Amino acid sequence: MFPKPVSILTPNTFDYERLPLVKPTGFREYDARWLFGAELNLMGVQALGLGLATLLHEMGVRPRLATGHDFRSYSASIKNALIVGLMAGGVEVVDIGLALSPMAYFAQFALDCPAVAMVTASHNDNGWTGVKMGAQRPVTFGPDEMGRLRDIVLEGRYASRPGGSYEYVEDFAKTYIDDLAGHTRLTRKLKVVAACGNGTAGAFAPELLERLGCEVIPLDVTPDYNFPRYNPNPEDLEMLHAMADKVRETGADVGLGFDGDGDRCGVVDNKGDEIFADKIGVMLARDLSKRYPGATFVVDVKSTGLFASDPVLKAQGVKADYWKTGHSYIKRRVNDLNALAGFEKSGHFFFNAPVGRGYDDGLLTAVHILEMLDRNPGRTMADLYADLPKTWGSPTMSPHCADETKYGVVDKVVARFQAMEAAGEKIIGQKISSLVTVNGVRVTVEDGTWGLVRASSNKPELVVVVESPASEANLHAMFKAVDGILRENKEVGAYNQTI
């Protein structure tokens, strides 16, 4: 029997080579993330594969699984260890090699694989690894499945089975790009900055954009898993600023930035102004609802209030559903509601039938953005952005908070706001008009200014977002108020970025 994992091991010891290391906090709400070496070793990855195989059989899922890996120095080794565990558990493994997460999701459909396990740390810093998993196309695991997988792995309740096999699919990227490019014919010749942060998307995004007929200006597409300029994270201002500089330098029509595993897309307009992804979502909702009136769009609680208040969306009969942040949460909600699309402020966009298959794909998002521009031949991206009602919004800001304490801190912050509401206390001089606690707490005051606090699902951080439709001053006032309540908890550390 394969050994039961332990939570702490010292590298460069005999035990490190003969026991699986799996830190329990690596099992997140909807995927898995560890610091490779310190929190997870290769035997731990084997245990994860064996546990996933056991879970698939327990769920009654046909044990055929697509896998791939992102561009990091250790990802292929981790994938191979995962495959060993999966095969030992009786799973038919279909390996697509170097891949984006949406390429692995696409493989579930194209290669008849009910399950998926994509080895990626997404946009996390170098040193992190993880796995995004699913067993019901197009959705991925949520808390129930991740909790069960955690218990199987940590308790060593996995079981070896016969029937495991391995198949490598050569040049699957061509099939994926053919599918993305095969339904689009742009009539405008667009100049596009393609920013990839030296990550995996550099192997695929420029090729797709060229296939669409764009003039492509590559930015940081050379692979370098040390990420020398910035992390490939289009929610990070450092990446957005680099994109903006290149757009202004080259006179491009738009800048498109892709994260480390290609399931997210960030946008800079032709003036070099960064457009946060939730505002891009409003623009796409406007465009799509012209073709599909009365559509439902699912949006995460970090996103702008414009999805509910924008007069154009109201006129086109759009229904907005605000839901929990997280790619698995939004993906599942889009599927449950049969929504046309889902949007996250982080840049995860989910296009459902007839405009997609329901999973998040940064390259497909790029296609829809370019099609939106193509359908507005006399207008620039800046023009479309200027049409939106004015709001002042923050980027996603993340103060450090340990995985072991972050949820407890959020519970205290939620209780604090609830007590303020019950006592009639004011925030930024206004009464609290609503508290949404579906995912952390989103507090809104009378003029529509709001602030959000939630726990990050994939890093030892909290998440803070603020927005005001009234003024920039109220934006800053709300941030000061929210941060003041956060600072009542000594466990909360420094921000990665602030306004």
Side-chain angles (χ1 to χ4, degrees):
M1 190 66 187
F2 198 73
K4 180 180 175 181
V6 297
S7 59
I8 300 174
L9 280 176
T10 302
N12 199 20
T13 62
F14 291 128
D15 278 349
Y16 193 86
E17 294 302 317
R18 61 190 173 203
L19 292 174
L21 167 65
V22 183
K23 188 178 180 182
T25 53
F27 293 93
R28 313 281 168 159
E29 289 182 50
Y30 43 79
D31 56 26
R33 304 278 174 98
W34 290 274
L35 279 167
F36 181 54
E39 300 178 350
L40 180 78
N41 64 5
L42 289 176
M43 282 192 72
V45 180
Q46 282 183 250
L48 178 67
L50 191 53
L52 177 56
T54 302
L55 178 61
L56 294 178
H57 284 94
E58 184 180 283
M59 294 172 68
V61 174
R62 181 163 59 95
R64 179 174 168 85
L65 175 145
T67 189
H69 69 279
D70 68 4
F71 184 81
R72 293 173 187 257
S73 62
Y74 42 80
S75 290
S77 298
I78 290 169
K79 182 186 70 177
N80 289 337
L82 184 73
I83 289 170
V84 169
L86 287 163
M87 291 174 60
V91 173
E92 302 170 16
V93 178
V94 181
D95 183 3
I96 62 174
L98 180 70
L100 304 174
S101 289
M103 194 183 305
Y105 304 149
F106 172 66
Q108 289 181 271
F109 292 86
L111 302 176
D112 188 27
C113 294
V116 65
M118 174 67 193
V119 174
T120 178
S122 186
H123 66 279
N124 281 29
D125 300 341
N126 200 32
W128 285 87
T129 191
V131 187
K132 294 181 177 179
M133 294 162 277
Q136 181 189 2
R137 299 172 297 214
V139 300
T140 42
F141 284 174
D144 291 344
E145 296 89 350
M146 289 304 301
R148 179 59 185 148
L149 177 61
R150 178 198 61 223
D151 293 345
I152 291 171
V153 173
L154 297 182
E155 295 168 11
R157 296 185 179 276
Y158 26 64
S160 297
R161 284 183 174 84
S165 64
Y166 176 81
E167 172 190 352
Y168 184 81
V169 182
E170 190 174 3
D171 201 19
F172 184 70
K174 182 179 184 303
T175 304
Y176 168 69
I177 292 174
D178 285 347
D179 181 77
L180 286 171
H183 309 290
T184 300
R185 294 289 179 271
L186 300 178
T187 60
R188 289 176 75 174
K189 183 69 175 181
L190 295 167
K191 184 187 289 190
V192 180
V193 169
C196 301
N198 305 109
T200 321
F204 310 106
E207 180 183 349
L208 170 65
L209 297 173
E210 288 173 356
R211 285 275 301 274
L212 297 175
C214 299
E215 179 186 345
V216 178
I217 301 163
L219 177 64
D220 303 321
V221 301
T222 303
D224 188 337
Y225 38 62
N226 296 306
F227 305 141
R229 291 247 289 156
Y230 46 76
N231 265 12
N233 179 5
E235 205 174 10
D236 190 321
L237 291 178
E238 195 171 5
M239 184 173 188
L240 289 169
H241 290 162
M243 292 164 58
D245 290 343
K246 183 60 73 171
V247 166
R248 285 190 286 263
E249 174 193 328
T250 60
D253 295 294
V254 65
L256 301 173
F258 305 95
D259 77 329
D261 65 331
D263 56 9
R264 295 191 293 140
C265 182
V267 181
V268 169
D269 71 19
N270 52 293
K271 292 182 177 179
D273 290 331
E274 301 112 4
I275 309 178
F276 293 144
D278 54 347
K279 298 291 183 68
I280 291 293
V282 175
M283 294 159 69
L284 287 169
R286 282 181 163 194
D287 181 63
L288 289 169
S289 60
K290 289 177 185 175
R291 299 159 61 206
Y292 304 97
T296 295
F297 296 99
V298 177
V299 295
D300 78 321
V301 293
K302 288 163 56 180
S303 291
T304 176
L306 288 178
F307 286 101
S309 64
D310 176 46
V312 173
L313 293 182
K314 284 184 174 180
Q316 289 166 192
V318 162
K319 293 178 280 293
D321 180 78
Y322 282 85
W323 195 239
K324 299 177 183 179
T325 293
H327 66 89
S328 281
Y329 291 129
I330 302 295
K331 198 160 14 189
R332 191 174 294 272
R333 187 72 168 176
V334 166
N335 186 67
D336 289 347
L337 297 183
N338 195 28
L340 184 63
F343 305 113
E344 278 195 283
K345 187 177 174 66
S346 63
H348 285 277
F349 292 166
F350 312 80
F351 297 96
N352 206 5
V355 294
R357 293 183 177 87
Y359 53 79
D360 40 339
D361 187 339
L363 271 62
L364 178 60
T365 301
V367 171
H368 279 292
I369 290 167
L370 296 175
E371 287 181 333
M372 176 177 67
L373 279 171
D374 198 57
R375 283 191 283 269
N376 291 273
R379 315 199 70 200
T380 66
M381 182 63 80
D383 293 334
L384 297 176
Y385 183 36
D387 275 352
L388 299 183
K390 176 66 176 175
T391 69
W392 290 263
S394 77
T396 298
M397 303 173 289
S398 299
H400 181 82
C401 193
D403 286 323
E404 293 83 355
T405 59
K406 63 188 181 184
Y407 291 102
V409 168
V410 170
D411 287 344
K412 287 190 280 187
V413 171
V414 171
R416 179 80 159 84
F417 277 118
Q418 288 173 330
M420 291 175 69
E421 181 184 38
E425 291 184 48
K426 293 183 177 181
I427 300 176
I428 67 167
Q430 300 181 45
K431 291 181 180 178
I432 295 173
S433 60
S434 74
L435 288 178
V436 176
T437 57
V438 69
N439 189 203
V441 59
R442 177 166 165 156
V443 54
T444 304
V445 297
E446 294 167 284
D447 70 0
T449 301
W450 59 268
L452 170 82
V453 177
R454 59 178 290 273
S456 169
S457 298
N458 50 41
K459 294 182 77 174
E461 296 175 341
L462 302 178
V463 172
V464 177
V465 181
V466 292
E467 182 188 49
S468 177
S471 68
E472 186 173 8
N474 281 7
L475 170 81
H476 286 274
M478 178 59 81
F479 174 61
K480 183 178 179 181
V482 168
D483 184 60
I485 288 173
L486 274 179
R487 295 298 151 192
E488 295 172 0
N489 302 276
K490 66 180 186 305
E491 302 95 334
V492 180
Y495 285 86
N496 64 335
Q497 59 185 1
T498 63
I499 52 176

